[in-house]
Amino acid sequence: MVRGVSPALETLLLPFERGEIAIPRRALLLGAEVHPAFREWPHVTGWQPFKPLADAWEKAGHPRSDAPAGTWPLVLLLPGKSRDEALAAFAKAYDLLENGGTLVVAMANLAGAQRFEKELERAAGKVGSLQKHKCRAFHAVKDGGWDAALLAEWRQLGEPRELDGFTVEAGIFSADHIDPGSALLAEHLPKNLRGRVADLGAGWGFLARAALEKNPDLKEIHLFEADARALNCARKNLTEPLFHFHWHDVATGLPDKFENVVMNPPFHSGQSTDIGLGRAFLRSAAGSLRMGGRIFLVANRQLPYEAELDALGLVWRKPVEDATYKLLFAEKRLDRPLLRPGFEERTAESQRSRR
Ligand SMILES: C[S@@+](CC[C@H](N)C(=O)[O-])C[C@H]1O[C@@H](n2cnc3c(N)ncnc32)[C@H](O)[C@@H]1O
C-alpha cells in the first residue's frame, strides 16, 4: 500500500491494476483523494467537498469540479460515511455515467461495504466485486436495466432537508439532529459579545445563529468550514448580510483577527479519532484573537484541551461540565490581566500550584 493513501482508494484501483477494467480517456472521481497511480491516467477530474482533500487534489495537478456535469465513461466513487449520503452518491454517479459507462465504488468493510454492494446490486442487477485491504471494490455497468424507481428514491436522499427550521443535507455533521454539545454551548453563550465573531468548523450554521440570537447587535459573524456542502446549507440558513462564509481549512490558521471565537471543534478525520485536529483548531483560534479576545468552545469531556489552552498562554475556565461535555471559555489577556465578570484567574501557573 502507498503511504498516506486510504485503503479504500487502494482497493478502488485494483481492478485497473489487474487489467479487469480498462482505463478510459477520461474519468470522474467522486470523493477525490490523491494517489500516485492517477499520474499515469490520461485525465481524472475530482469532486471533493472537504477543503484539505480538495487542496491536496489540486496540488497534485489534477482538475477539480465543484459541480460535475455531463456524462463520463467511468465514475469512481469513494462514498461518505452515512447511509443516505452513500445511496444518494450511487444515484449521482449513475446520472453522471454515459450509457455503457462503468461505476466503481470502494468502501471499508467496517463502513458496511458488503451491505452497500448489495444495495448497488438491487439497483444495477449485476455487480462485479473484489476484496482487499479490509475493503471491497464493486462495479456495475450502466445498461438499460437499472431500477429507475430505486434510483429516484436514492436521488431524493441527497436533496436538502429540513431540521428544526434549518436546511441540512445527508453526510454533513449533525444532519439529523442538533448536536447536544453545540446546544449546550448555545445555551451558555454570553450576551455581551462585542466586535467580530468567528465560528470555526461552523457546519450548517447552528452556533453562528445562536451567537446572533444572544447578541442581536453583532455586526459581523464569519463562518469557517471545510465541508462545502455544510457551508452551502449555512448560506441558506443565515441570509442576513452580517454573515460571511469561508470554505477554509481551519487547521491552516485564519486569515483575520477576531474578538470572539465560538466552536465545537472536530475530533475525527474520516473514521478515526484525531485529537490533533481539535488542537490545531485551538491554535488557529488563539492565533486569530485580538488582545482581550475570547474563545467559547464545547468539547467531549475526555478531550485534553485544557493543556493546549495553557500552552497557548490563554486564561480559561470551565463554566459547565456534564456527563458527556464540558464548556471551556478562554481569554487572551493583556500583560495586566483584563478581568471580565465571571473570568476567575486560571493560568498555567495558578493551575500548577493547585495540583
Ligand atoms: C463538531 S462539528 C460542529 C459543527 C457546527 N459548529 C455545529 O455546532 O453543529 C465540526 C465541524 O468542523 C468541520 N471541519 C472538520 N475539519 C475541518 C477543518 N480542517 N477546517 C474547517 N472545518 C473543519 C466539520 O465539517 C464539521 O462541520
Side-chain angles (χ1 to χ4, degrees):
M1 287 221 301
V2 179
R3 240 176 117 224
V5 170
S6 75
L9 178 52
E10 290 284 9
T11 313
L12 184 78
L13 291 174
L14 278 178
F16 302 96
E17 280 167 23
R18 293 177 180 174
E20 291 166 8
I21 303 175
I23 299 173
R25 63 195 186 286
R26 7 177 250 122
L28 175 67
L29 172 56
L30 299 176
E33 291 177 32
V34 175
H35 192 290
F38 286 131
R39 281 189 220 131
E40 312 304 324
W41 287 46
H43 177 108
V44 193
T45 290
W47 173 79
Q48 176 51 261
F50 190 59
K51 181 77 166 132
L53 295 180
D55 287 347
W57 183 255
E58 281 187 342
K59 206 169 155 207
H62 301 301
R64 197 177 61 74
S65 168
D66 287 331
T71 55
W72 303 73
L74 175 68
V75 177
L76 306 167
L77 171 62
L78 293 168
K81 285 183 284 187
S82 90
R83 173 187 175 274
D84 288 1
E85 179 188 13
L87 295 179
F90 287 179
K92 175 174 169 168
Y94 172 88
D95 292 340
L96 288 162
L97 271 181
E98 60 189 38
N99 286 333
T102 305
L103 165 63
V104 189
V105 184
M107 301 178 78
N109 293 339
L110 281 176
Q114 192 174 12
R115 188 162 43 93
F116 283 105
E117 182 181 322
K118 289 230 154 32
E119 290 284 0
L120 188 66
E121 201 171 4
R122 268 202 319 136
K126 189 164 173 270
V127 167
S129 171
L130 62 81
Q131 290 189 61
K132 195 151 185 197
H133 309 308
K134 298 185 180 152
C135 296
R136 288 172 101 90
F138 41 99
H139 67 271
V141 172
K142 181 171 181 173
D143 52 24
W146 287 54
D147 184 331
L150 191 56
L151 285 168
E153 208 179 285
W154 290 353
R155 240 172 248 125
Q156 197 59 36
L157 298 175
E159 291 299 312
R161 50 180 89 164
E162 202 237 86
L163 169 69
D164 282 4
F166 293 100
T167 296
V168 297
E169 181 182 318
I172 67 174
F173 178 79
S174 80
D176 48 17
H177 63 280
I178 287 169
D179 181 65
S182 299
L184 184 70
L185 176 56
E187 186 188 333
H188 292 275
L189 277 179
K191 294 184 171 170
N192 65 350
L193 300 189
R194 302 273 175 276
R196 307 165 81 218
V197 177
D199 179 356
L200 306 190
W204 48 257
F206 174 74
L207 285 177
R209 169 59 69 203
L212 183 63
E213 275 177 4
K214 284 268 177 96
N215 298 273
D217 292 335
L218 283 172
K219 299 276 181 293
E220 259 183 67
I221 302 182
H222 290 257
L223 291 90
F224 294 90
E225 170 58 50
D227 185 339
R229 301 165 305 167
L231 199 64
N232 282 339
C233 290
R235 283 192 178 97
K236 293 178 187 147
N237 293 326
L238 308 170
T239 51
E240 297 92 323
L242 72 117
F243 291 109
H244 302 269
F245 303 90
H246 309 271
W247 188 38
H248 186 80
D249 176 1
V250 168
T252 63
L254 297 187
D256 219 334
K257 294 281 181 198
F258 296 92
E259 278 75 22
N260 308 281
V261 172
V262 298
M263 61 175 165
N264 177 357
F267 59 96
H268 285 107
S269 293
Q271 311 277 0
S272 50
T273 303
D274 179 2
I275 295 167
L277 185 56
R279 288 200 175 109
F281 265 57
L282 290 186
R283 282 196 296 277
S284 296
S288 77
L289 275 191
R290 288 196 194 285
M291 200 51 82
R294 294 181 288 170
I295 298 174
F296 304 92
L297 79 91
V298 61
N300 280 32
R301 280 188 72 195
Q302 79 278 7
L303 294 173
Y305 291 152
E306 291 86 342
E308 192 66 33
L309 293 172
D310 284 343
L312 292 165
L314 300 175
V315 179
W316 58 269
R317 67 185 180 100
K318 197 184 308 183
V320 177
E321 186 168 21
D322 65 19
T324 316
Y325 300 105
K326 61 189 170 193
L327 302 188
L328 292 170
F329 291 1
E331 182 166 356
K332 183 170 179 173
R333 294 276 178 86
L334 296 165
D335 289 346
R336 268 185 65 215
L338 175 72
L339 279 170
R340 286 174 195 271
F343 267 80
E344 79 181 271
E345 185 74 23
R346 194 121 195 230
T347 60
E349 201 46 53
S350 65
Q351 281 162 62
R352 263 194 296 280
S353 63
R354 277 173 213 202
R355 274 177 206 138

